[in-house]
């Protein structure tokens, strides 16, 4: 008893929508840290550096299952690189 094609498509849409929101929020976080000096505290610096990993993971989520068509292809390898970073 697996998921139907419609359910899988719905899950992919949800994953990509939430990853898009997260990418936008990460860019807002990065720009706030860079351009507003009062936000440059030690705690925010840790969040700033951790946000790069979040950005990589969300870009990999945006790629999603599109890379699985060719496991030796450049897109699949790039997605794997992003997830490992």
């Amino acid at each position: 008893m697996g998921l139907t094609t419609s359910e899988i498509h719905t899950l992919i849409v949800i994953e990509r929508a939430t990853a898009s929101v997260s990418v936008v929020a990460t860019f807002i976080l990065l720009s706030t840290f860079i351009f507003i000096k009062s936000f440059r505290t030690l705690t925010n610096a840790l969040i700033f550096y951790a946000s790069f990993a979040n950005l990589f993971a969300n870009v990999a989520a945006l790629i999603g299952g599109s890379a699985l068509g060719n496991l030796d292809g450049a897109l699949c390898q790039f997605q794997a690189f992003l997830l490992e970073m």
Side-chain angles (χ1 to χ4, degrees), residues 29-30 33 42-55:
L29 183 142
L30 293 174
F33 185 83
L42 178 61
T43 305
N44 289 341
L46 294 173
I47 294 169
F48 173 79
Y49 291 118
S51 65
F52 288 104
N54 185 38
L55 184 64

Side-chain angles (χ1 to χ4, degrees), residues 12-54:
I12 290 171
V13 169
I14 291 170
E15 177 187 30
R16 289 183 177 171
T18 56
S20 299
V21 171
S22 186
V23 166
V24 170
T26 302
F27 280 127
I28 292 170
L29 183 142
L30 293 174
S31 61
T32 301
F33 185 83
I34 291 169
F35 294 116
I36 301 175
K37 292 187 182 208
S38 62
F39 280 97
R40 294 183 191 170
T41 63
L42 178 61
T43 305
N44 289 341
L46 294 173
I47 294 169
F48 173 79
Y49 291 118
S51 65
F52 288 104
N54 185 38

